[in-house]
Amino acid sequence: MSNQDVSADNVIATADFHSLFPNTSHSAALVVSSDAIAHFPAIELPMLYAYEQLVLAAIVRTVAPRTVVEFGTGRGSGTFVLAANSPDDASIYTLDLSNDTRGDYTRKILRDNDDVGLAYRPTPEAKKITQLLVPPGKPMHDSLTGLRKKVDFIYVDGDHGYQGVRDDTLAAVELAAPEAILLWHDFYDFPDYIREGHAKRGVFPWLNEFTATSPFGLFHIAGTYFVAGSRAWKEKSPAGTRMRQPGDRPAPFGTRILRQGEA
Ligand SMILES: C[S@@+](CC[C@H](N)C(=O)[O-])C[C@H]1O[C@@H](n2cnc3c(N)ncnc32)[C@H](O)[C@@H]1O
């Protein structure tokens, strides 16, 4: 089965970053985390590969959110990017699993360290960040309930199973301010992933389902595994739209995650 075949039901169009965020400054300094290169060998995919870190930083610079929520802290390098590129008075809330509910996936992300958020904690940006720990299936932490309709930027990168990403997305919709930008990571349509089923690999099928009824227009950002959403983006794309991702070239590279060292 080719990559083309498995993505035939994709209805989320790919757009270049600058067409989605035309007001991005041409002279802004973007701040990213050194965590990936300090801890991951080049051949591995870090939490966010380099271009994705820049895209995340550029979106945050452009949106200039006062309030940010991140689902899925992990090591906290994405949280650092959110804090370092947002206005000085921004508040960043980042959720991860409570200690007793973490499994192998979290341990793998943390490299057998159980210190969620270790990449941002020693930095000055930490003062903008509030860490929230939740059990699976309870993304609306008590600290977030007062933020309904007030959050300017929401980054969904926690549980990538269908139910988990659906729960987080529905919480994100409740939290989103009218002009909010939503961003999801891990929008993979690799055949090996699709074959593992929705329960485990839920981002691609869930977002394709969500976009049909959602008030948010969704676009895959070219060259990344991000999908961005905004109520201001109305355009829908026809079934069969093909994504452009890193590694989107003939097999074997087009059929699995492109590791940093292969880019
Ligand atoms: C890919 S990592 C996050 C990476 C981070 N956003 C970044 O950009 O560096 C995913 C994290 O989500 C957490 N997670 C998994 N299921 C979750 C859930 N139901 N609620 C909150 N966090 C969850 C995992 O423990 C893991 O630390």
Side-chain angles (χ1 to χ4, degrees):
M1 186 184 286
S2 73
N3 213 11
Q4 191 73 46
D5 295 330
V6 291
S7 62
D9 57 353
N10 180 48
V11 292
I12 297 176
T14 294
D16 280 312
F17 174 86
H18 61 79
S19 67
L20 296 174
F21 300 98
N23 297 329
T24 297
S25 165
H26 287 245
S27 56
L30 301 176
V31 184
V32 299
S33 171
S34 60
D35 184 60
I37 55 170
H39 292 281
F40 289 83
I43 198 72
E44 279 190 82
L45 181 78
M47 251 62 77
L48 288 176
Y49 87 108
Y51 181 64
E52 290 181 317
Q53 288 210 36
L54 291 177
V55 166
L56 181 61
I59 294 174
V60 174
R61 281 265 176 235
T62 306
V63 174
R66 299 281 160 197
T67 311
V68 177
V69 170
E70 176 186 44
F71 294 97
T73 313
R75 298 175 62 85
S77 53
T79 326
F80 173 82
V81 172
L82 299 173
N85 294 282
S86 53
D88 291 344
D89 59 352
S91 300
I92 319 294
Y93 299 85
T94 184
L95 286 88
D96 210 289
L97 293 169
S98 43
N99 261 320
D100 53 338
T101 63
R102 290 180 199 150
D104 289 347
Y105 172 63
T106 310
R107 276 189 284 279
K108 182 178 150 213
I109 298 279
L110 296 178
R111 292 295 206 251
D112 294 325
N113 183 323
D114 64 2
D115 189 10
V116 161
L118 63 103
Y120 73 71
R121 195 161 295 109
T123 71
E125 283 72 16
K127 65 178 183 304
K128 297 163 78 173
I129 299 170
T130 303
Q131 183 176 69
L132 304 173
L133 300 178
V134 293
K138 297 275 177 218
M140 194 59 89
H141 188 280
D142 289 347
S143 302
L144 297 181
T145 53
L147 297 179
R148 285 193 169 90
K149 297 188 171 38
K150 293 184 180 156
V151 183
D152 307 303
F153 181 69
I154 304 172
Y155 179 34
V156 181
D157 188 23
D159 184 342
H160 298 117
Y162 177 87
Q163 192 61 46
V165 68
R166 182 178 186 279
D167 289 347
D168 290 349
T169 300
L170 297 181
V173 170
E174 280 188 56
L175 293 169
E179 310 292 321
I181 296 292
L182 274 53
L183 189 74
W184 294 260
H185 192 228
D186 299 289
F187 184 62
Y188 302 137
D189 74 338
F190 305 109
D192 288 354
Y193 269 55
I194 301 290
R195 272 194 286 272
E196 287 183 55
H198 288 199
K200 185 169 181 197
R201 305 297 187 187
V203 181
F204 180 83
W206 160 248
L207 289 180
N208 269 287
E209 185 183 322
F210 177 61
T211 196
T213 53
S214 162
F216 289 82
L218 301 191
F219 286 90
H220 163 245
I221 303 177
T224 75
Y225 300 113
F226 286 134
V227 166
S230 164
R231 291 188 178 96
W233 300 333
K234 301 291 181 211
E235 188 182 323
K236 300 262 184 210
S237 48
T241 301
R242 182 71 190 97
M243 297 189 291
R244 282 189 292 139
Q245 294 178 326
D248 196 3
R249 51 196 165 124
F253 297 111
T255 57
R256 62 180 172 81
I257 298 174
L258 184 72
R259 305 290 172 182
Q260 184 76 48
E262 297 166 345

